[in-house]
Amino acid sequence: MKKTLQLLSGNESLALGAYHAGVQVASAYPGTPSTEILENLSRFKDIYAEWSTNEKVAMEVGMGAAYTGARAMVSMKHVGLNVASDPFMAASITGIVGGLVVVTADDPQIHSSQNEQDNRHYARLAKVPMLEPTDSQDVYDLMGYAFDISEEFDTPVLVRTTTRIAHSKSVVDVKKSRKVKNPQPAFLFNKQKYVMLPVYALPRHAEVEKRMVRLAEYCETFPMNQIFWNKKKIGVVTSGVAYQYAREVFPEASFLKLGMTWPLPQQMIKGFAAQVERLIVVEELDPFLQDNIKSMGIEVSGKEFIPLVGELNTRIVTESSAGAGLLPESEKGEIIPPASGLARRPPLLCPGCPHTGIYFTLNTIGQRSKLLESDKPQEPKLIITGDIGCYTLGAYPPLNVLDTTACMGAGIGQALGMEKAGVKSKIVAVIGDSTFLHSGITGLVNAVYNEGHITILILDNRTTAMTGHQEHPGTGISAQGKETYAVDIESLCRGIGVKDIKVVNAFDLKALRSGLRDSLGREEVSVIIVRGACAMQVRKREHPRKVDVEKCNQCGICLKLGCPAIQSKDGRVFIEPTLCAGDICTICEQLCPQKAIGV
Amino acid sequence: MKSKLKKMDILVTGVGGQGVVLASDIIGEAALTAGFDVKKTDTLGMAQRGGSVVSHVRLAERVWSPLIKEGEVDLLLAFEKLEAARWSHYLKKNAVAIINSYEQPPLSVSLGQEKYLTDDEIVAALKRRTDKIYIIEGNKKAQELGNVRTVNILMLGCLAAFAPLETGVWKSTISKRLPERLREINLKAFDVGRKEIEGVRIGKS
């Protein structure tokens, strides 16, 4: 084995590629599947890496750094680019000095997101070049090009990955070492470039259009736009992970693999199309390549048979291509259905999760289980608007405590909107600590300013849990492990003008119930900070609880907590000792009416 | 040397927290050391703990797709028996299935809304494709070693009997990936797994 070969995930490879390309400033907000990019970069002590409060701020940090001639990278999940789109569009028009690379990690199949969005459209919208890797080696190699193109064409460069690229490992030949192009960055006065007043912005737009013309020329010779000639019956144009599926499904076809998918190399595509009998595009999600190739006047098909929804795989590409007559039916192989009668195993809140107690309280006070008993439309007695994080899992039974989940910070605005529309039910907005700092603050300011009567629960588990425990401004630890200032959420709410603020222990069922009842009765904005550490971060797990079979009357109320440690077999309830979090939690012990749970 | 390499498509599955991702990482790294092209991908969804987890690991002279196609898996390594049944349709005809007998009932089973498959039903699901089913009392054996969390490495020991990789490569990769304090017990678990698989009759149901 060659010494330089490593088995790296797309995210690890991207971080290493950026490091070797001389990135000096990296900023991000955690989001699946992009999180590990900044986690890996933060380990290099000779660069600056930060968790920003949200993607918009991350983009602004990246812009500022690039304006000084430093190489900067901003990474986020696909919906993060929605949040960051304002400064992203601005960076496109001002251009940069040092390379600015923006990474968007899309999530086809919605493995862990709220929508399935094809961010390739952002490249066209913002008029910036876009690179798409097909595996970890490509990721590593593309990063050097990304920074160089950014500087040469005075533009941010979008690098688009997907979950299957970001989270798959493949072999990477790590050939380079770190080189820093501009070790002493400096900002140079240039208001025509940086101050986007109408008088300066319009000429900048003209510059952007000139840049696109130059890029269109450049991409014709871009080394990672590659043709692999084989038989000429079928020619496949493809990019990203779809390339891998297509190579496997069409071993005899010729391929045009696009490493740069905006702008598109028109001459190269035309030349390729002219040589093959039938031109097809294999791509995930939208017909981005296909529509743009069609608009060049080239006959091409793809989305007529390749699905628009979900991620692709070799089976889907085989079956859809066979359906379109591109492969013999025999290629489909013998596929048997999944085994029947399998109990599902959806993700759950962990044993000892600090969200379980408040969610059980919301479930019972709001009589939420009744909502599942009838198919008719019902108005919840207690409306609960949700947000994005582990606590979104509370939507599943048995807790059933969420009525909405849209995007980060949305729950607070939605709650106020429902109240102002005039609904009769009480309304609670649920948000996590990291999410509150990300984009909940402005919603809270709005609710106070507009005299709302809603209750806001800030579930403060002192971490960004769902993406794997990243630090945030409320923890007071930076991405690179430095102790900094911890934002005090209580004082922040007070400063905004919230009068009623309660801080409640997440593992005290009685206090949760009385606190929630009090807040719901108030004619003002009320904030309850439910505080308890994430169970995954508590190492000490002592005294797992047990069920006393003599005392237990099988009422089953403890099972309604949805705790994975509490199980039942043949009508007997027991607590799995290897899963129970023990002393840190005790919610089931507090709940049991028979006092049958103890040490 | 390359021409001698065979291909192997491996599916590793279990419940969040059982160490599926680490085990599949080790397979991938060991295979790379042995000169294979390797791709591996995990499907975790939103699982932190307690959700269904599956890793695809592919070794060959050249690997394209990171995902294995249904019906193409050469070897299924399951750390929980219901999860073995869940991926049974991915097996190739006459594939090898190595299954930990451990049972972790999903919440819907505890709530009485769904049933956990019986052992016969699990075996029947796998027998649609293969008779080469090996059932290992992995959790029990790992517990006997003093740490139930070594079950993933113990199961790797079982897999090693079928994979085209040498014992030394496995051991050095395991040593590389585990912190020093856990190294010895895990290397022991690997050996226990290798021995255990010998004692299990092929086609046992």
Side-chain angles (χ1 to χ4, degrees), chain A residues 419-490:
Chain A
E419 181 203 325
K420 297 299 183 188
V423 299
K424 289 185 184 138
S425 303
K426 294 276 181 191
I427 310 159
V428 174
V430 177
I431 192 165
D433 48 341
S434 184
T435 316
F436 177 69
L437 296 167
H438 175 283
S439 52
I441 300 168
T442 45
L444 182 60
V445 171
N446 182 64
V448 172
Y449 165 57
N450 290 301
E451 300 186 312
H453 295 166
I454 57 175
T455 296
I456 293 147
L457 300 178
I458 302 174
L459 307 189
D460 184 7
N461 61 358
R462 322 298 289 178
T463 186
T464 317
M466 185 139 230
T467 43
H469 306 101
Q470 291 74 35
E471 305 294 347
H472 64 66
T475 69
I477 312 275
S478 80
Q480 293 184 300
K482 204 173 131 209
E483 266 193 58
T484 90
Y485 181 75
V487 172
D488 178 352
I489 293 176
E490 201 182 330

Side-chain angles (χ1 to χ4, degrees), chain A residues 1 5-7 32 111-113 134-135 163-164 167-171 241 243-245 247-248 311-315 318 331-351 390 392-393 396-398 465-469 536 556 559-560 562-564 566-569 574 576 578-579, chain B residues 14-16 24-25 27-29 32-53 56 58 62-71 80 82-83 85-91 93 102-117 125 128-129 143 148 176-177:
Chain A
M1 180 185 122
L5 294 184
Q6 292 185 35
L7 190 62
T32 311
H111 293 284
S112 185
S113 298
T134 70
D135 61 15
T163 303
R164 202 53 72 191
H167 283 176
S168 291
K169 290 193 171 184
S170 62
V171 183
V241 73
Y243 167 76
Q244 307 292 350
Y245 304 138
R247 274 305 288 254
E248 195 160 318
E311 72 173 335
L312 300 178
N313 57 40
T314 44
R315 178 184 57 76
T318 306
E331 282 294 311
K332 285 205 225 168
E334 192 203 328
I335 307 260
I336 61 168
S340 55
L342 299 179
R344 288 159 302 130
R345 204 187 288 277
L348 297 168
L349 296 178
C350 305
C390 285
T392 315
L393 298 175
Y396 290 119
M466 185 139 230
T467 43
H469 306 101
M536 301 270 292
L559 289 166
K560 300 222 162 106
C563 174
I566 307 175
Q567 301 174 2
S568 138
K569 203 177 177 186
F574 66 98
E576 172 58 44
T578 57
L579 296 177
Chain B
V15 178
S24 59
D25 270 355
I27 300 172
E29 279 163 26
L32 172 63
T33 307
F36 284 94
D37 186 23
V38 183
K39 281 190 181 160
K40 77 143 256 180
T41 186
D42 311 315
T43 296
L44 300 162
M46 302 200 288
Q48 288 275 345
R49 283 288 180 269
S52 181
V53 180
H56 297 232
R58 310 192 69 190
R62 172 81 209 228
V63 182
W64 298 107
S65 162
L67 289 163
I68 309 168
K69 195 178 166 193
E70 286 98 318
E80 202 272 357
L82 180 62
E83 296 312 306
R86 198 179 304 284
W87 299 99
S88 56
H89 60 295
Y90 268 73
L91 292 178
K93 271 203 174 136
Y102 173 67
E103 169 175 339
Q104 187 169 321
L107 184 65
S108 59
V109 170
S110 286
L111 290 169
Q113 293 158 349
E114 292 186 286
K115 284 218 160 68
Y116 196 95
L117 293 190
R128 296 182 300 161
R129 282 301 200 187
Q143 200 95 57
V148 72
K176 213 162 66 187
R177 278 305 299 261

Side-chain angles (χ1 to χ4, degrees), chain A residues 1 7, chain B residues 22-34 153 156 165-179 183 186-187 190:
Chain A
M1 180 185 122
L7 190 62
Chain B
L22 176 64
S24 59
D25 270 355
I26 290 172
I27 300 172
E29 279 163 26
L32 172 63
T33 307
I153 305 297
L156 273 189
L165 304 173
E166 284 163 22
T167 307
V169 174
W170 283 112
K171 291 199 166 176
S172 66
T173 311
I174 291 167
S175 300
K176 213 162 66 187
R177 278 305 299 261
L178 286 160
R183 219 164 273 163
N186 275 289
L187 288 172
F190 180 79

Side-chain angles (χ1 to χ4, degrees), chain A residues 370-381:
Chain A
K370 277 195 182 164
L371 293 169
L372 300 177
E373 285 164 12
S374 156
D375 290 337
K376 281 192 210 138
Q378 296 172 71
E379 189 169 24
K381 192 180 155 217

Side-chain angles (χ1 to χ4, degrees), chain A residues 9 18 73 127 153-154 255 313 323 528:
Chain A
S9 73
M73 187 166 81
K127 305 189 176 189
F153 294 90
D154 188 14
F255 275 81
N313 57 40
I528 307 178

Side-chain angles (χ1 to χ4, degrees), chain A residues 123-145:
Chain A
R124 192 175 163 161
L125 175 69
K127 305 189 176 189
V128 300
M130 169 169 58
L131 307 179
E132 276 190 86
T134 70
D135 61 15
S136 299
Q137 181 72 60
D138 268 5
V139 175
Y140 178 79
D141 294 340
L142 279 173
M143 291 317 288
Y145 288 113

Side-chain angles (χ1 to χ4, degrees), chain B residues 133-147:
Chain B
I133 303 166
Y134 298 75
I135 294 173
I136 306 291
E137 290 191 326
N139 274 50
K140 194 178 147 215
K141 295 282 161 196
Q143 200 95 57
E144 283 170 14
L145 273 170
N147 186 349

